[in-house]
Amino acid sequence: MARKYDEIMSHLVVTDAMRSRILEQLESAGQPTPFSRTPLLLRRTLAAAACLAIVLAGISVLPRITSPQPVETPSGPITVVPNLQEVSSAQALSALVGFSVSDLKALPFLVEQSTYTAYGDTLAQIRCEGDSQWALFRKSAGTEDNSGDYTAYAAQTSYDQDGLTVILKGDAEQSYVLALWTDGSYTCSLRLSQPLTAEQWDQVISANR
């Protein structure tokens, strides 16, 4: 509150015209001219002038104090987009990333549309859609999890399939929506919109290894 008062007072200027009007009003009310009296009367007069000036300046000063101009902030999330490129086929995708990528087989729905995306030369992605379902497949060099799915699933199991290390994740036993498998050189991940049992996943992975 004290800072606001000091800021208001810093804008006050008592001009000669304002002083004259104040003195005329005091004389018309039967008050003697304060400037010929004691310093106490002088201080009281100047205080009255300050109050009048506060009323006159308040309209223009207070809005700037109580309603500062808003600072513009960016709207929406700030996203860093990698060097990605969309192509028309698995063959073109393979050429961009530098390793073999094939169309998905044995999915639990009929594929009506596929989208092929290369994330630089490090990761290949194929998204398949159809019959109100979808599948998201990714392949990259190395053994790191490339799924981008960091959900803390309640159920997880792992096993070996003819040289592949397979991990299944889901919300319940025998209800898995995410599979990861690696042969030590490349890692693949497959996320489905509808869960499969471990036996069903085993067939899908065998067809796409």
Side-chain angles (χ1 to χ4, degrees):
M1 190 68 184
R3 288 197 300 270
K4 290 184 178 180
Y5 175 81
D6 293 339
E7 184 175 352
I8 292 172
M9 294 300 294
S10 67
H11 290 79
L12 302 180
V13 177
V14 180
T15 64
D16 293 336
M18 292 172 61
R19 186 180 293 107
S20 298
R21 288 198 297 271
I22 294 170
L23 294 178
E24 289 175 0
Q25 292 178 1
L26 292 175
E27 290 176 355
S28 63
Q31 298 293 331
T33 302
F35 294 102
S36 62
R37 298 295 180 179
T38 64
L40 177 60
L41 292 178
L42 177 59
R43 288 196 298 271
R44 290 178 178 175
T45 302
L46 292 177
C51 291
L52 177 61
I54 289 174
V55 174
L56 295 175
I59 296 176
S60 60
V61 175
L62 287 179
R64 291 196 294 271
I65 297 174
T66 58
S67 301
Q69 293 295 323
V71 178
E72 293 185 2
T73 56
S75 59
I78 300 175
T79 305
V80 178
V81 179
N83 180 24
L84 58 86
Q85 185 174 348
E86 188 172 307
V87 292
S88 59
S89 66
Q91 292 76 14
L93 183 58
S94 300
L96 284 177
V97 295
F99 50 81
S100 176
V101 184
S102 302
D103 283 298
L104 297 179
K105 306 177 183 68
L107 291 178
F109 61 91
L110 180 63
V111 177
E112 299 173 354
Q113 179 181 348
S114 296
T115 305
Y116 307 90
T117 306
Y119 288 75
D121 60 356
T122 61
L123 186 144
Q125 175 178 291
I126 302 176
R127 180 181 175 88
C128 301
E129 300 177 58
D131 194 25
S132 300
Q133 297 188 58
W134 55 264
L136 185 66
F137 172 79
R138 287 180 167 183
K139 182 177 181 180
S140 60
T143 59
E144 296 296 324
D145 183 345
N146 61 15
S147 67
D149 186 346
Y150 303 106
T151 304
Y153 290 106
Q156 177 174 318
T157 186
S158 61
Y159 62 94
D160 291 329
Q161 186 197 81
D162 298 330
L164 294 182
T165 300
V166 179
I167 299 175
L168 303 179
K169 298 181 180 183
D171 294 323
E173 291 291 338
Q174 295 300 311
S175 182
Y176 305 106
V177 294
L178 175 64
L180 300 103
W181 63 93
T182 179
D183 61 1
S185 298
Y186 293 93
T187 294
C188 297
S189 64
L190 181 58
R191 173 75 161 84
L192 298 178
S193 57
Q194 300 295 327
L196 299 179
T197 65
E199 291 75 15
Q200 291 171 323
W201 269 113
D202 196 62
Q203 296 174 10
V204 173
I205 294 170
S206 295
N208 292 283
R209 56 177 298 161

